[in-house]
């Protein structure tokens, strides 16, 4: 997944000055790092614990770090949309700040489009490497590509519309997507068919996307299902605008995020009865469900870190969050498992079966974190 402009710190134990707009958020980098922790190997700790112990308890937790085959939700499904949500949160602090400095909307639009283009290209590299291959074998849809496209449209809407219209666009995309999939289908299927073969979004991807789809007839990062993902980015932007707002106490901001998050979760469960929560299709109920959880996590991190001022515990995650793009794409260029075995293989042998795999999973994360910490100390960050 990709990083947008990093936003790092305000918030202290001092009383909130409601007339001063915060310029940076330590909590946003920490939450981004928390999100990326699971991508960089955190989930493997639970998978190895389940394997080593054979415990149903650890097995149940490990199952949450897998994706459902189709409908349903596991915690692992949150990682991608939470990252896109946070990319939106950073917009008022990055793009908004440039507007305040006098940059024109046209200049910023060009910058946003360039960023989207770079993310799409990086997504191609992550999917296919640097090998030359026939177009028919290239997978064009990608996680980074979706982030880039959704981020681009959400930011353009931010640049050219007021907050109220941004809310209208948020609902427009997810309600329109719901109605479209409810009253259409792939040829030969009844309207509203939401199976992998029969749904309209997958059918359109089969028609429009060149190259290969991840699952042959469907791609979870397909072009058509990027439409509701724009709303995920817009929700982040609206949240970022709230957090940046002057004249509003911090605790009030926390309350608004918390209450809105709970309401979103309730709406998601109701909508799920007609339009199932499904990451593969990025359904509207999925947007509401992950949006609700994202708001609650943002409220929690913001309250603990920026309101109460407890920051030291989050430094581990901040180091990860400051270089999120780099750690996501690094596996294409660095043999992390080889490096881990080289440094800590002796420790795995010392521990022995069955817990050696758990120890090596922890060491795998440690090696990556030390690398990121070194870059953090050198103030070296990969930006897009």
């Amino acid at each position: 997944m990709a990083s947008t402009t990093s936003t790092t710190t305000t918030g202290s134990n001092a009383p909130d000055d409601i007339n001063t707009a915060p310029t940076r958020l330590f909590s946003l980098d920490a939450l981004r790092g928390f999100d990326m922790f699971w991508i960089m190997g955190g989930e493997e700790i639970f998978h190895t614990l389940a394997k080593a112990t054979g415990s149903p308890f650890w097995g149940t937790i490990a199952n949450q770090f897998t994706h459902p085959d189709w409908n349903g939700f596991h915690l692992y499904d949150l990682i991608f949309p939470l990252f896109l949500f946070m990319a939106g949160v950073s917009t008022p602090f990055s793009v908004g700040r440039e507007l305040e400095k006098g940059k024109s909307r046209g200049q910023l639009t060009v910058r946003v489009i360039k960023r989207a283009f770079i993310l799409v290209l990086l997504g191609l590299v992550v999917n296919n490497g640097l090998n030359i291959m026939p177009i028919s074998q290239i997978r064009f849809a990608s996680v980074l590509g979706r982030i880039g496209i959704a981020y681009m449209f959400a930011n353009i809407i931010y640049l050219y519309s007021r907050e109220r219209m941004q809310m209208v666009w948020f609902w427009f995309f997810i309600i329109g997507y719901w109605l479209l999939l409810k009253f259409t289908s792939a040829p030969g299927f009844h309207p509203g068919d939401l199976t992998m073969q029969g749904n309209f979004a997958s059918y359109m991807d089969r028609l429009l996307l060149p190259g290969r789809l991840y699952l042959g007839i469907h791609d979870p990062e397909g072009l058509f299902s990027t439409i509701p993902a724009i709303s995920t980015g817009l929700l982040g932007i609206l949240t970022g605008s709230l957090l940046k707002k002057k004249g509003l106490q911090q605790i009030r901001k926390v309350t608004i995020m918390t209450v809105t998050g709970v309401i979103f979760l309730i709406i998601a469960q109701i909508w799920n009865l007609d339009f199932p929560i499904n990451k593969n299709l990025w359904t509207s109920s999925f947007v509401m469900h992950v949006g609700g959880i994202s708001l609650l996590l943002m409220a929690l991190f913001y309250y603990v870190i920026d309101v109460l001022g407890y920051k030291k515990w989050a430094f581990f995650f901040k180091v990860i969050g400051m270089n999120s793009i780099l750690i996501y794409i690094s596996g294409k260029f660095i043999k992390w498992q080889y490096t881990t075995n080289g440094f800590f293989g002796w420790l795995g042998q010392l521990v022995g079966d069955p817990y050696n795999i758990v120890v090596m999973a922890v060491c795998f994360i440690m090696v990556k974190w030390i690398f990121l910490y070194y870059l953090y100390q050198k103030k070296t960050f990969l930006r897009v």
Side-chain angles (χ1 to χ4, degrees):
M1 286 178 292
S3 169
T4 56
T5 301
S6 175
T7 51
T8 335
T9 213
T10 337
S12 64
N13 291 317
D16 179 28
D17 182 355
I18 63 173
N19 295 314
T20 303
T23 56
R24 311 177 74 157
L25 293 176
F26 191 115
S27 55
L28 183 57
D29 277 322
L31 182 55
R32 186 186 289 117
F34 173 78
D35 193 36
M36 290 304 300
F37 170 78
W38 305 106
I39 286 291
M40 65 184 271
E43 85 290 353
E44 194 60 24
I45 295 175
F46 294 102
H47 289 304
T48 54
L49 273 171
K51 186 176 180 180
T53 63
S55 163
F57 172 78
W58 291 117
T60 300
I61 294 179
N63 187 52
Q64 284 296 312
F65 291 96
T66 62
H67 293 299
D69 291 336
W70 194 243
N71 292 334
F73 176 81
H74 290 171
L75 290 176
Y76 208 50
D77 295 335
L78 177 65
I79 295 172
F80 183 3
L82 175 59
F83 196 92
L84 179 54
F85 168 85
M86 288 185 288
V89 173
S90 71
T91 291
F93 296 92
S94 54
V95 176
R97 184 173 62 244
E98 293 301 312
L99 270 178
E100 292 164 4
K101 288 180 178 179
K103 286 279 183 71
S104 71
R105 286 179 170 80
Q107 288 174 307
L108 293 171
T109 299
V110 170
R111 193 177 81 173
V112 163
I113 293 172
K114 284 182 179 178
R115 181 174 291 172
F117 181 70
I118 292 170
L119 286 171
V120 170
L121 287 181
L122 285 174
L124 285 171
V125 172
V126 170
N127 280 354
N128 309 287
L130 297 174
N131 301 319
I132 303 298
M133 59 181 70
I135 289 180
S136 61
Q137 295 180 25
I138 297 174
R139 183 188 172 212
F140 286 89
S142 69
V143 169
L144 292 178
R146 169 162 294 179
I147 289 173
I149 294 170
Y151 167 87
M152 178 183 71
F153 281 107
N155 272 259
I156 290 173
I157 290 170
Y158 169 78
L159 284 169
Y160 292 96
S161 64
R162 296 183 181 276
E163 191 171 303
R164 189 177 297 274
M165 273 307 299
Q166 293 165 24
M167 294 179 185
V168 171
W169 279 110
F170 170 84
W171 290 106
F172 172 79
F173 286 124
I174 57 175
I175 292 176
Y177 186 68
W178 166 52
L179 293 174
L180 194 59
L181 265 63
K182 187 176 179 63
F183 294 106
T184 58
S185 67
F189 294 85
H190 65 82
D193 190 301
L194 294 177
T195 62
M196 189 182 296
Q197 299 88 347
N199 77 84
F200 185 70
S202 298
Y203 169 66
M204 292 302 293
D205 284 343
R206 293 195 291 270
L207 284 181
L208 299 175
L209 270 176
R212 63 181 177 88
L213 304 184
Y214 186 67
L215 298 176
I217 60 172
H218 168 79
D219 199 300
E221 281 77 53
L223 188 63
F224 203 80
S225 54
T226 299
I227 295 171
I230 300 170
S231 290
T232 301
L234 280 171
L235 179 62
I237 288 174
L238 290 164
T239 304
S241 296
L242 170 70
L243 291 170
K244 193 181 177 186
K245 192 167 291 184
K246 298 179 183 178
L248 198 62
Q249 291 184 333
Q250 288 177 313
I251 194 64
R252 175 68 174 162
K253 296 173 184 179
V254 172
T255 302
I256 292 172
M257 286 188 287
T258 302
V259 171
T260 306
V262 171
I263 292 172
F264 270 40
L265 288 173
I266 294 171
I267 294 173
Q269 293 307 311
I270 296 172
W271 213 339
N272 179 55
L273 300 174
D274 183 68
F275 198 25
I277 294 172
N278 183 312
K279 177 185 177 294
N280 279 278
L281 292 175
W282 212 281
T283 54
S284 306
S285 56
F286 176 77
V287 172
M288 298 300 290
H289 187 71
V290 296
I293 299 175
S294 297
L295 282 164
L296 293 177
L297 283 172
M298 189 72 245
L300 176 63
F301 273 65
Y302 178 71
Y303 178 67
V304 172
I305 296 172
D306 289 310
V307 178
L308 297 181
Y310 297 116
K311 299 177 181 179
K312 290 183 179 179
W313 69 273
F315 179 73
F316 174 85
F317 294 122
K318 180 184 177 182
V319 169
I320 302 171
M322 293 289 285
N323 249 322
S324 51
I325 286 184
L326 179 62
I327 202 60
Y328 179 71
I329 67 174
S330 64
K332 285 292 176 180
F333 310 102
I334 301 174
K335 294 182 178 180
W336 289 113
Q337 194 63 59
Y338 176 83
T339 306
T340 304
N341 291 337
F343 280 106
F344 295 105
W346 61 271
L347 184 58
Q349 292 176 5
L350 182 65
V351 173
D353 292 333
Y355 289 99
N356 58 328
I357 56 175
V358 180
V359 170
M360 293 308 292
V362 173
C363 290
F364 183 77
I365 295 172
M366 188 185 306
V367 167
K368 287 187 173 181
W369 191 87
I370 291 171
F371 170 72
L372 292 175
Y373 179 70
Y374 172 78
L375 295 178
Y376 179 85
Q377 291 289 88
K378 296 294 182 180
K379 301 187 185 303
T380 303
F381 308 110
L382 179 63
R383 295 283 182 256
V384 173

